[in-house]
Amino acid sequence: MAGEGVGRRVGIGDVARLAGVSQGTVSNVLNHPQRVSEATLTRVEAAIATLGFVPHGPARSLAAGSTRALGLVLSDLTNSLFVDISRGVERVATEHQAYVLMANTDADLARERQYLAMFEASQTLATLVTINDASHFRGLVDGHRPSHPLIFLNYRGDSDHHCRVDMDNRLGGRLAARHLIDTGRRRLVVVAGPLELQPVAERLAGFTEESAAAGVEVRVERVDQIDRSHGWAVGRRLAPRVGAGEVDGVFAVADLLAAGIAQAFGVEPGLSIPRDVGIVGYDDNRAAWDSPMPLTTIRQPGEALGAAGAAIAFEEIGDPGHTHRQVTLVPHLVVRRSTVDERVV
């Protein structure tokens, strides 16, 4: 072997040959020493010392036949909620000496499937995926049993094979209605996106339930997409009704919609927020707090959601008898100038 290793990095195969064991056994010594007998452990460690083999994170993971990383599939990285979710996942992964491989799908089912397959082929420890559509959930789980844990975030669904972490969106809708009613609003409108999106349907249901309990009628305005431009368009339609006294409170199921509505009301002569109309959004993303009109909103604990999902993933990785479950987090009301004039508070 004279000169064979000159200039070449010592690899796991070299250690295996010198110790007279398989590469899998060396991997176990590096990653799961409890699986190896004392005699084999001593022999492999002696080979490592003789060769000066220095394992590093990614190399150790690949040697073990897996990537010591979590796959994270996000619906929309332009929404700061999903950035918060990724921070929570990364924090917990770091505590477990693991990495996070991230993908963005723009809520496209085909891309979600593609990334799930890619992460599974890469043998990540587990994959976490954010969805909000029942058809996407069925499309990802029906007939598919991944070889590693698959955890769904921001979604509540039935599954005996997967854990889910979601927000109590129905409660969030109730909080929004209660706040508008408590601030004296009685002529309420909900601006809702596609109802096949689970969070949208549940926020609408919670809002109408709370309003009905208070004897307040609610009108619903539907939009095709949840973005600022659609908020602007519906805001322009609603502005004359606000001026006529027909509407004095608006709940938008997402901050992007609420921001567009606030902009539309802001250019209407003589219309004042919150004097004439209060606006409540949902998410507490950048559109709510970094806006000319800071928005009252329902805050989703995105970082906590990501951290809870990652913690469940590592729990399942370490326990073959893991029981799948649903974890639901609680949103909170954040009051800003779109419903309460800070000069009078």
Side-chain angles (χ1 to χ4, degrees):
M1 291 182 61
E4 183 181 323
V6 175
R8 182 173 66 83
R9 181 183 179 89
V10 174
I12 194 170
D14 301 309
V15 175
R17 281 192 295 273
L18 182 58
V21 298
S22 69
Q23 292 190 32
T25 299
V26 178
S27 297
N28 279 333
V29 169
L30 295 172
N31 298 281
H32 308 287
Q34 71 278 6
R35 300 179 183 175
V36 182
S37 70
E38 191 65 34
T40 301
L41 185 67
T42 301
R43 194 160 71 249
V44 172
E45 288 178 341
I48 289 173
T50 300
L51 294 171
F53 174 63
V54 181
H56 59 89
R60 286 181 60 174
S61 299
L62 292 171
S66 66
T67 304
R68 188 159 182 79
L70 299 178
L72 176 59
V73 181
L74 297 169
S75 304
D76 181 10
L77 270 176
T78 65
N79 186 330
S80 62
L81 169 66
F82 296 101
V83 177
D84 291 341
I85 289 172
S86 69
R87 287 197 179 102
V89 172
E90 188 170 36
R91 173 167 57 80
V92 174
T94 299
E95 292 170 1
H96 287 80
Q97 292 80 50
Y99 308 91
V100 178
L101 305 178
M102 196 179 306
N104 176 65
T105 66
D106 293 324
D108 181 272
L109 177 57
R111 289 173 64 186
E112 289 167 356
R113 285 174 169 157
Q114 188 176 40
Y115 281 124
L116 290 188
M118 184 191 75
F119 286 143
E120 190 169 353
S122 302
Q123 298 187 61
T124 52
L125 298 172
T127 299
L128 300 91
V129 56
T130 65
I131 60 169
N132 54 25
D133 187 325
S135 66
H136 283 218
F137 182 69
R138 297 266 64 90
L140 293 173
V141 303
D142 282 355
H144 178 66
R145 295 292 176 264
S147 58
H148 67 318
L150 175 59
I151 293 92
F152 288 92
L153 305 179
N154 203 35
Y155 185 79
R156 177 186 46 75
D158 297 326
S159 175
D160 294 330
H161 304 284
H162 310 283
C163 288
R164 292 87 61 210
V165 184
D166 76 329
M167 309 282 191
D168 191 339
N169 286 290
R170 193 176 290 262
L171 171 62
R174 286 182 173 277
L175 292 174
R178 175 48 49 197
H179 176 67
L180 286 171
I181 292 167
D182 286 347
T183 54
R185 323 288 174 177
R186 293 295 184 275
R187 296 174 295 281
L188 306 181
V189 168
V190 180
V191 180
L195 295 183
E196 60 266 25
L197 302 181
Q198 186 184 85
V200 171
E202 293 188 344
R203 292 168 194 178
L204 173 60
F207 189 90
T208 55
E209 288 165 1
E210 186 70 18
S211 300
V216 175
E217 188 178 346
V218 175
R219 298 179 222 179
V220 180
E221 290 281 337
R222 298 285 299 279
V223 294
D224 296 328
Q225 295 182 43
I226 297 176
D227 57 27
R228 196 182 295 259
S229 65
H230 282 74
W232 167 271
V234 75
R236 296 303 295 153
R237 295 199 303 271
L238 287 173
R241 292 166 59 188
V242 173
E246 299 172 7
V247 174
D248 64 1
V250 176
F251 170 52
V253 296
D255 287 336
L256 286 173
L257 286 173
I261 292 166
Q263 287 178 312
F265 287 172
V267 299
E268 187 73 12
L271 194 157
S272 174
I273 307 169
R275 183 195 66 198
D276 302 313
V277 61
I279 304 171
V280 178
Y282 206 110
D283 289 333
D284 198 28
N285 64 22
R286 190 181 186 93
W289 48 261
D290 187 16
S291 168
M293 168 59 67
L295 297 171
T296 292
T297 190
I298 306 300
R299 174 180 292 161
Q300 300 203 78
E303 188 166 336
L305 185 147
I312 287 174
F314 283 109
E315 177 185 309
E316 186 171 351
I317 291 163
D319 178 12
H322 171 84
T323 300
H324 297 295
R325 65 186 186 276
Q326 177 85 38
V327 175
T328 300
L329 304 183
V330 177
H332 297 90
L333 174 72
V334 179
V335 178
R336 297 192 180 100
R337 272 201 298 127
S338 67
T339 56
V340 175
D341 191 334
E342 295 169 344
R343 292 169 298 186
V344 243
V345 173

